[in-house]
Structures are given as C-alpha cells and as structure tokens.
Amino acid sequence: MDDQSTPSVRDQVGEDEWKARCDLAALYRLVRMHGWDDLFFTHISMRVPGPDEHFLLNPFGLLYEDVTASNLVKVDLEGNVLPPSTFGINPAGFTIHSAIHAARPDVKVALHLHTDQGVAVSAQKRGLLPISQTAMTIMNDVSYHDYEGIALIEDEKARLVADLGEKNLMILRNHGTLSVGANPFQAYLRIFNLERACNMQIMAQSGGAELIEWDQAKQDLVFSQANEGVTNEFFAEIAWAALRTRVDRESPGYDQ
C-alpha cells in the first residue's frame, strides 16, 4: 500500500525558513514564560527569509505554550495563508504586522504585547518617564501611536508606520507595547527592557514620592552606551543561543 501520510512542514520548507520557524516558536514560548501572553490575543511575527514578502504568525486561538515551528501560519502581505492551513490568524495582528513588514524591510521580527504594566504606562499622557536606567537605555528609540480602536481598520496602517518611523519601539496609547528588530534577540531584548521599565515606573509611582527624572543629555548618554550591545551581532548570536537553551530546558517541543 502506498504511504498516504501527509508530509511534515519541515520537509516542505527550506532550511532558512525552518530556522525562522524555530526561532519564532521560541519567542512565543519566552513570552509565555514571562506571563506576557494575554491568552492568544497578542502576536509576534517573523519575516520568512527569501525574496517573497511572506511572514509567520501564530495560529489564532492556540495558547503560546502550544505554538511550534510546524503550526505557525505563513501569510503574504494581503493576508493569504500560504499554503492553506487549518489554522487562522488574528485579524488585528495581521493589520499591525503586515503594515510594519511592508514599510520596514529592515524589520525581521515584530513583537506586540498587552501587559498590565505596558498598558498602564500607555494610558499615561507623558508615557515612559526617564526615572530608571532601564528606561533610559531605550527612551530615544520609543515612538507613540494614538488609540484608534481594535486594529482592524486598513487606514490605520499608514498612520501606525508613520508614527513608528525609523524607531524600534512603540507605545500604542491605551493599548500596549511593540518592538521590532533585525533578529529575534533584538526584538526580544527591546521589549524586555520596555516592559521592565514600565513595571518599574508603575512601582515607583505607587510609592507616592516625588520621582527623580533625568534630562535629555543623560538619556542620550545611557542610550548610546546600551545601544552598542543591542546592535552587536556577535552578542546577539550568543545571547539568543542562551535564550534558546532556556526554552529547550523549560518549554521543550517548540522546535517540532
């Protein structure tokens, strides 16, 4: 009898795409390990290596601890699933991520969250404040986008990418946080620092005391010092390998 089994996803994609799938699945598991997942209503995307404008997203409705390299969904910039899949994607996630990938060819990974502390800071008129070293490592790279409702409106794409500009972090007012990067580690480290800075800010504000805010000169100094590590390719490679090892240990199976 002929073998009628369905070919595995790994057998149907190239080596570069499979690596991208494994890296993205690892990012989903890291988000879950931090408690940033908001069930399945946030999203992370990764550009598929190659000439086509394709990127990967999580299957909508699947918990992040169940995301794997094989069940990630590949889409084009029009939202077509390639190849057809039993899974769908989050329409709001597609709106945000397709806009970024279309406008920013330098972006390989985009990561969007709705954490309590991120949303709390996004609801503050002044946004992120220069009250911690962590905040100052990223403040010069943070943009803002006004709330327009759930991201389902096509017209919002142009305003979102215009607000992002060439920066790599965004606070979406009354909504959440977003980071982008040229590799998984950049996107992860940027959102990690933004989320920690937001948490520190909420904690500091809860104390009721007057806060120490640093001027632009100090912000520029700390940002320039920290940015060397974020953009260092060798550091990114070894740091991402270490994070993948953590995922291997604490949330295995993502690379299946």
Side-chain angles (χ1 to χ4, degrees):
M1 180 181 292
D2 293 337
D3 184 4
Q4 298 297 316
S5 62
T6 303
S8 68
V9 173
R10 186 168 191 171
D11 292 337
Q12 298 179 68
V13 302
E15 183 178 342
D16 288 344
E17 179 174 334
W18 183 252
K19 182 182 183 302
R21 284 175 171 270
C22 290
D23 282 340
L24 182 55
L27 272 175
Y28 276 101
R29 299 297 183 94
L30 282 167
V31 164
R32 174 68 184 95
M33 287 158 60
H34 285 296
W36 294 340
D37 46 321
D38 189 21
L39 292 179
F40 32 70
F41 293 109
T42 57
H43 16 83
I44 317 168
S45 64
M46 183 175 291
R47 190 185 298 272
V48 176
D52 298 319
E53 292 292 323
H54 298 161
F55 62 95
L56 302 164
L57 274 173
N58 56 309
F60 190 39
L62 201 64
L63 296 172
Y64 286 11
E65 59 264 38
D66 297 321
V67 171
T68 67
S70 294
N71 63 34
L72 287 163
V73 180
K74 180 163 62 175
V75 296
D76 63 18
L77 293 177
E78 284 70 50
N80 300 305
V81 176
L82 309 166
S85 170
T86 55
F87 297 106
I89 58 172
N90 184 338
F94 173 76
T95 298
I96 293 171
H97 290 260
S98 62
I100 292 170
H101 286 296
R104 291 276 301 270
D106 61 306
V107 170
K108 301 298 186 286
V109 181
L111 199 164
H112 171 49
L113 303 176
H114 306 148
T115 66
D116 293 349
Q117 62 269 20
V119 174
V121 170
S122 79
Q124 297 183 12
K125 286 187 176 181
R126 294 185 60 205
L128 189 65
L129 303 175
I131 61 172
S132 69
Q133 175 175 275
T134 304
M136 288 187 286
T137 65
I138 57 172
M139 283 197 66
N140 286 8
D141 207 17
V142 177
S143 58
Y144 291 84
H145 176 64
D146 286 339
Y147 186 65
E148 299 190 28
I150 295 175
L152 299 172
I153 302 170
E154 185 73 16
D155 289 352
E156 186 177 357
K157 287 184 176 183
R159 292 183 289 275
L160 187 146
V161 297
D163 288 338
L164 180 62
E166 296 303 312
K167 294 191 175 182
N168 297 299
L169 285 162
M170 174 175 276
I171 292 177
L172 294 92
R173 300 283 191 184
N174 309 96
H175 182 175
T177 57
L178 180 142
S179 74
V180 301
N183 55 60
F185 179 70
Q186 280 188 0
Y188 173 77
L189 182 60
R190 284 168 175 150
I191 204 75
F192 179 83
N193 285 332
L194 178 55
E195 289 294 328
R196 289 190 68 229
C198 288
N199 191 47
M200 293 171 185
Q201 180 167 320
I202 297 302
M203 292 179 70
Q205 290 170 326
S206 70
E210 183 178 359
L211 302 179
I212 301 170
E213 295 189 28
W214 287 97
D215 59 17
Q216 189 63 52
K218 188 70 70 179
Q219 294 173 45
D220 292 344
L221 170 64
V222 177
F223 178 77
S224 66
Q225 291 172 324
N227 202 45
E228 293 179 13
V230 179
T231 58
N232 184 290
E233 293 184 5
F234 176 70
F235 176 64
E237 183 177 342
I238 61 172
W240 181 242
L243 288 165
R244 282 278 300 260
T245 298
R246 170 179 280 183
V247 180
D248 288 334
R249 183 171 57 246
E250 299 183 22
S251 188
Y254 68 94
D255 53 352
Q256 302 300 312

